[in-house]
Amino acid sequence: MNDTPTSRPAAHRDETPPARRASDEPVSARSSSSESPEPQETPAYPLLEAPADGVPDVITTAAQLKECCAAIRAGHGPVAIDAERASGFRYGNDAYLVQLRREGSGTWLIDPVPLNDLSSLNTAIGSAEWVLHAATQDLPCLKALGLRPRKLFDTELGSRLAGLPRVGLAAVTEHFIGVTLAKEHSAVDWSTRPLPHDWLVYAALDVERLVEVRDALAAELEAQGKAEWARQEFEALLDFEGPTPKKEPWRRTSGLHALRDLRQLARVRALWQTREDIAQRRDTTPGRVLPDALIIDLARRNPHDTSGLVGPPAIRPRVGDGSARRRRPRPAHRGLARYGERWLAALKAADALPNRELPTATQRTSAPPPIRAWHDKNPAAAGRLDDVRYGLQRFSDERRVPVENLVTPDLLRRVIWSPPADTSEDGWRAALSAGGARPWQCDIVAPLLAEAALDHPSHPTN
C-alpha cells in the first residue's frame, strides 16, 4: 500500500480563503461537514466487576516478592503491567501500587513503598513483552523502581494509530472485548495505607483483560496496514525516561500572562521556588501549599507584613440595582498564614535583585515565532506550512490516524522554519529523523516537505 499522502493541488493553493488556511488551524483539526451528525446512542456494555481469580493479597515483603517472581517466570505470553500514582496529592510521580498479570501466573499486586527496588522482576519477565496502557505515564515511575522493559505494547498509543475516537482504557476495552471498566478510583490518593478493598479490585481489573485487548488491537493494526508503524512507536518508547524538564518551569504559573512588570515576574519566580521547596519537603503537590492564583496576587500586591498577605475582599462590579458591592471575603488559604514568613522573605529577596538579574519578559527560546507571525516574517515558510498541513490532514482523514501522531507539531514547525540545506526528500528525511521522527513518519512527511519546498523556496528569515 502506498502511504505517501496526496499533496495539495497547485490550483487550490492560491484559492484557499484566509479563514481556512491550514496554518490558522490546530494541527489536530479535522475537516467536518456543515451539517451536524445525527446523535448516536452509546451501547451499554457489561461492567467487569471483579477479578476472575479474586483479589490477591498485596505484596509487601521481600519473601513475597520472590514468590511473585517465581510465578511470573513460570507463566507464558505477554505481561500486563500497570502502576497507580498519587498525582494531585504527592510531590513526585512515584508509584504506590504496581499490578502485573500473566497467563499461567495470575494477578499480582505489589506495594513498592516498603520494597523500593523491584528490579528482580526484570529477570522473571525476561524478554517477554510488557503490555501497558498509556506507557508514557507509567514508565518513569516503573523505571525508578528498577523495572525496564525489553519489549512493549502500548494499547493507548496503538488505539490512536488504529483511529479509535476514544482511547481511555475503559473505552478501548469496550471497543475490543465488549466489556467496560469502572474508573471511579482513577484519581484517588494511592499513597493511602491501608488501601481499601474496592481500590484493590479496581487495580486488579486494570490488568485483568489487558492482554486480550492487546491481541485484538494488534490484529486491527495488522488489518489496517499499521503494524509496522506501531512496532516503531513501541520500540521508541523503550528509551522514554519522562518529559524533558523545563528550563524555567515557574513560567508555567497560571495567570502569569497578566503580569508585565519584570519585578513582578521576579516575585513570581521567587514565590514559585519557595513553594517548590516546601512542597518537596512535605511531599505534597505544590498547589496544596499555595495555589497559582495566590502567587500572582502576592506578586502584584507585594505585601510587606503578614497582615497584608490576605488581600481585600473582591468587588462585585454590578448587582441588580447597578451598584458595586463587596463579596463576602473567603477564608484565607491556610498556606498564606502557615508559611507567611517564607512568602515575605521570597518577596523581599526578589525586590532586592539588581535589574540585571531580573527575568526577561518572555523566555528565550530557539523555537520559531508564533504561527500567526509567519506570513509577515517568512512568507515562504508560511506557504510550506500551509501545504504540508493540508497534505497531512488529507492523509489523516484517509487513514484514520491523528495528525499529531504523523509528526509532532513542534518538529514540523522547526524543520519548516529552518529547512535543511538539502531540500530533497532525503534532506527532509534526515532533518525529521534528527528531530526524533520514526522512519514510518519520515516516509509520509518528507515527500510533502520536498514538494512544498519546490513551491515555496526558502529565503533568509528576518
Side-chain angles (χ1 to χ4, degrees):
M1 180 180 296
N2 183 6
D3 286 333
T4 303
T6 304
S7 60
R8 185 176 179 177
H12 290 178
R13 291 190 181 109
D14 294 331
E15 297 172 4
T16 305
R20 296 285 301 277
R21 294 183 69 86
S23 62
D24 295 330
E25 301 172 357
V27 156
S28 58
R30 295 295 184 97
S31 58
S32 60
S33 170
S34 59
E35 297 182 1
S36 300
E38 291 293 327
Q40 297 182 354
E41 292 186 5
T42 301
Y45 295 95
L47 178 66
L48 195 60
E49 295 182 341
D53 303 328
V55 179
D57 293 335
V58 178
I59 292 172
T60 59
T61 68
Q64 292 172 327
L65 180 61
K66 185 176 181 180
E67 178 186 354
C68 170
C69 289
I72 294 294
R73 186 183 297 109
H76 55 88
V79 180
I81 299 182
D82 191 23
E84 306 296 346
R85 301 174 303 281
S87 303
F89 298 93
R90 296 289 182 170
Y91 179 77
N93 197 38
D94 296 339
Y96 286 92
L97 188 71
V98 176
Q99 308 101 279
L100 301 94
R101 181 175 177 83
R102 192 179 195 186
E103 189 68 26
S105 305
T107 298
W108 298 83
L109 304 179
I110 303 174
D111 182 353
V113 176
L115 296 168
N116 194 40
D117 183 3
L118 303 184
S119 59
S120 56
L121 281 167
N122 289 325
T123 302
I125 297 172
S127 60
E129 180 184 79
W130 289 24
V131 182
L132 305 101
H133 189 82
T136 55
Q137 295 184 22
D138 290 339
L139 283 174
C141 66
L142 292 172
K143 288 183 176 181
L145 295 169
L147 289 169
R148 290 186 171 271
R150 299 185 193 176
K151 183 180 180 182
L152 68 81
F153 189 106
D154 184 345
T155 53
E156 191 262 357
L157 177 54
S159 296
R160 291 183 184 277
L161 296 177
L164 268 65
R166 298 183 300 137
V167 295
L169 180 56
V172 171
T173 304
E174 291 170 4
H175 179 87
F176 286 110
I177 61 176
V179 297
T180 192
L181 300 171
K183 302 303 292 181
E184 67 266 25
H185 301 309
S186 60
V188 298
D189 181 3
W190 285 92
S191 66
T192 300
R193 293 297 183 271
L195 287 166
H197 178 76
D198 56 334
W199 295 15
L200 297 177
V201 171
Y202 162 89
L205 289 176
D206 270 1
V207 293
E208 177 87 359
R209 307 287 293 273
L210 194 56
V211 171
E212 188 177 344
V213 171
R214 173 249 182 257
D215 292 343
L217 173 55
E220 178 66 20
L221 290 167
E222 186 70 43
Q224 292 187 23
K226 299 173 181 176
E228 176 59 19
W229 298 3
R231 187 197 68 77
Q232 292 180 24
E233 291 298 310
F234 300 157
E235 184 177 352
L237 284 174
L238 294 175
D239 297 324
F240 183 77
E241 300 290 342
T244 302
K246 302 290 183 182
K247 290 184 178 180
E248 294 184 294
W250 64 270
R251 290 189 184 272
R252 301 183 68 183
T253 305
S254 298
L256 187 69
H257 64 279
L259 303 182
R260 293 289 183 265
D261 182 79
L262 300 187
R263 189 66 61 178
Q264 291 179 338
L265 295 182
R267 293 173 195 150
V268 170
R269 181 176 62 184
L271 291 166
W272 185 94
Q273 187 57 62
T274 299
R275 184 182 68 174
E276 287 293 300
D277 294 343
I278 295 171
Q280 186 171 19
R281 178 175 56 82
R282 289 186 54 203
D283 191 16
T284 188
T285 185
R288 287 174 173 257
V289 175
L290 194 70
D292 281 3
L294 288 182
I295 287 184
I296 299 299
D297 177 63
L298 293 178
R300 181 184 286 115
R301 291 192 299 106
N302 194 26
H304 298 290
D305 52 48
T306 54
S307 64
L309 287 173
V310 180
I315 295 177
R316 192 190 306 274
R318 288 195 299 264
V319 291
D321 59 4
S323 62
R325 297 180 182 174
R326 292 184 180 272
R327 287 193 180 105
R328 178 179 299 173
R330 295 179 179 177
H333 190 278
R334 60 185 179 182
L336 284 172
R338 186 173 184 178
Y339 305 107
E341 295 298 333
R342 298 285 302 272
W343 310 131
L344 293 173
L347 292 169
K348 184 177 180 180
D351 283 348
L353 290 174
N355 289 341
R356 66 178 180 277
E357 295 182 18
L358 295 178
T360 56
T362 58
Q363 186 175 6
R364 294 186 179 92
T365 176
S366 60
I371 293 176
R372 61 180 178 272
W374 282 34
H375 288 284
D376 293 330
K377 290 180 174 293
N378 192 337
R384 292 193 296 270
L385 183 64
D386 283 335
D387 288 2
V388 172
R389 295 178 84 175
Y390 179 90
L392 289 175
Q393 191 63 64
R394 287 277 300 272
F395 187 88
S396 169
D397 293 338
E398 292 168 2
R399 296 301 307 276
R400 293 194 304 121
V401 59
V403 172
E404 58 268 26
N405 287 110
L406 299 175
V407 60
T408 64
D410 179 69
L411 176 58
L412 183 65
R413 289 192 294 266
R414 287 179 182 272
V415 298
I416 289 179
W417 183 260
S418 302
D422 176 7
T423 55
S424 67
E425 280 193 30
D426 287 343
W428 287 110
R429 189 183 304 274
L432 290 167
S433 180
R438 262 66 77 187
W440 74 272
Q441 295 172 316
C442 296
D443 290 343
I444 295 166
V445 183
L448 291 173
L449 288 165
E451 182 174 351
L454 291 174
D455 293 337
H456 304 280
S458 182
H459 299 288
T461 59
N462 293 335

